[in-house]
Amino acid sequence: MSRKLAAFCAAAATAVAIVIPLSASTAQAADCVTAWVSSQVYTGGQTASHNGRNWSAKWWTQGETPGAAAVWADQGACGGGTTPPPATCTATDWVAGRNYRAGDVVRYTDGRHYIAEHDNPGYDPTISTWYWNPHTCNGGTTTTTTTSPPAPGGFVVSEAQFNQMFPNRNPFYTYSGLTAAMSAYPGFAKTGSDTVRRQEAAAFLANTSHETGGLVHIVEQNQNNYPHYCDSTQPYGCPAGQAAYYGRGPIQLSWNFNYKAAGDALGLPLLTNPWLVQQDASVAWKTALWYWNTQNGPGTMTAHSAMVNSRGFGETIRSINGALECNGGNPAQVQSRVTTYQRFAQILGVSPGGNLYC
């Protein structure tokens, strides 16, 4: 590997609000708070005004428009505005692969209604929680809108989505271990637009899934390879033993020089104690993030750079195991990674983008 670190409703559009002049005795609407700014980060409880109404953030958000995203709670009209009457709708049956626009309401196969929060090419409403939210449709089946809060620190992958991606994972690979490890590389899955962040998270997790059989294996399974990962030409040698630097963790950290470099970067004694990677979930995730964010491997850029600079998922394969898989080396393995990435991208409700192969 180099080494194997691997129609808001259709009818609603025609609804007309009836404005009744306020009498002198009618209470005035609240003052508008500071206007919402798309680039600003808001955390739970913070407020902003938009389109004549005040809104309160339920949890961490950035770039999600008040009134169009479930993260915002409506606090009422401000600055003399009035509250429009509730809209009614006639939902159409959801069709996979049909293009939907933000505000479209559909009836899913279970009889429940969902509203599109963002334009999408027909993603499944029960999977793509970024693009769809449960919706109460007047005159139809009603459901409670419940969107899971984002992960700690604003990670774009919720724990429920993580579990959906890895239904058979080894208990060693904890979600909390991953989110704790992310503090070492704060740019991971937090650089660029929300789409880019979700694509990077999906790409990283897809590659770790491939390397570990779905986050099942903690260590490399072929023990015959273990003695091969000691480069004795390095001045520091292999103090933990010649057969101690086999693949471990989500991207299967291998070779003494990689353990040395990762340990130096993370402030961990991995050269002398490589077993930490298979004993501590946070350490294991940190080594994977170290490789993802800092190492080119056999490629020309880091996997992180490939995703945030629109070079595509294929370049992440090249950075992790391109010498063996890319340029026709092992198309079946490349396809396995791509298929997993596409599935994870769908779970996160984002297009996988282009340049998927290497």
Side-chain angles (χ1 to χ4, degrees):
M1 165 150 184
S2 172
R3 257 295 329 159
K4 199 163 185 182
L5 287 172
F8 167 52
C9 304
T14 61
V16 178
I18 302 174
V19 179
I20 302 175
L22 293 174
S23 66
S25 61
T26 302
Q28 297 298 307
D31 291 335
C32 289
V33 297
T34 303
W36 172 74
V37 178
S38 62
S39 61
Q40 182 173 328
V41 171
Y42 297 88
T43 56
Q46 291 188 311
T47 57
S49 63
H50 185 66
N51 286 346
R53 305 187 70 77
N54 285 331
W55 303 86
S56 176
K58 299 177 184 177
W59 50 76
W60 190 100
T61 179
Q62 182 183 33
E64 297 178 282
T65 307
V71 65
W72 291 100
D74 189 352
Q75 302 298 300
C78 66
T82 58
T83 303
T88 58
C89 65
T90 302
T92 58
D93 290 336
W94 169 78
V95 178
R98 175 181 294 175
N99 287 325
Y100 292 98
R101 299 186 64 84
D104 286 349
V105 176
V106 297
R107 182 174 53 250
Y108 191 56
T109 55
D110 60 3
R112 300 192 176 200
H113 293 82
Y114 295 82
I115 185 169
E117 298 289 347
H118 301 86
D119 295 355
N120 72 88
Y123 291 133
D124 188 320
T126 64
I127 294 177
S128 300
T129 55
W130 165 247
Y131 285 106
W132 297 94
N133 267 310
H135 179 67
T136 298
C137 187
N138 291 354
T141 303
T142 60
T143 62
T144 302
T145 300
T146 54
T147 299
S148 299
F155 187 33
V156 293
V157 181
S158 70
E159 186 167 8
Q161 289 169 327
F162 179 78
N163 291 334
Q164 184 179 356
M165 292 172 176
F166 304 105
N168 301 311
R169 65 180 172 83
N170 190 307
F172 172 79
Y173 289 113
T174 61
Y175 178 76
S176 60
L178 171 57
T179 56
M182 286 171 56
S183 62
Y185 294 95
F188 168 72
K190 294 183 182 179
T191 302
S193 67
D194 185 79
T195 293
V196 171
R197 297 177 184 191
R198 291 171 186 272
Q199 287 174 339
E200 182 179 13
F204 171 76
L205 292 172
N207 277 299
T208 64
S209 180
H210 181 85
E211 295 295 310
T212 61
L215 290 187
V216 171
H217 303 304
I218 302 172
V219 302
E220 185 173 353
Q221 297 300 288
N222 187 353
Q223 296 187 16
N224 292 330
N225 285 339
Y226 286 13
H228 300 160
Y229 298 131
C230 174
D231 181 358
S232 58
T233 66
Q234 300 296 332
Y236 42 78
C238 299
Q242 181 176 349
Y245 302 99
Y246 49 85
R248 297 179 177 90
I251 296 191
Q252 296 289 280
L253 184 72
S254 311
W255 291 93
N256 56 328
F257 49 80
N258 280 322
Y259 278 89
K260 173 70 162 60
D264 289 348
L266 299 169
L268 297 167
L270 299 185
L271 181 65
T272 57
N273 188 5
W275 298 277
L276 279 174
V277 181
Q278 68 189 75
Q279 296 168 346
D280 187 313
S282 180
V283 171
W285 283 113
K286 283 181 180 179
T287 63
L289 290 171
W290 166 78
Y291 190 85
W292 182 267
N293 287 277
T294 70
Q295 302 300 297
N296 292 354
T300 60
M301 66 190 74
T302 68
H304 171 73
S305 294
M307 295 308 297
V308 302
N309 291 302
S310 301
R311 296 298 297 272
F313 179 73
E315 284 300 318
T316 72
I317 304 174
R318 191 178 301 280
S319 298
I320 292 173
N321 207 22
L324 297 179
E325 296 181 17
C326 295
N327 302 318
N330 196 327
Q333 293 297 302
V334 171
Q335 185 60 60
S336 173
R337 293 181 193 263
V338 171
T339 299
T340 302
Y341 170 59
Q342 291 172 318
R343 180 166 60 86
F344 286 5
Q346 184 182 27
I347 289 174
L348 296 184
V350 67
S351 165
N355 301 320
L356 299 181
Y357 297 86
C358 63

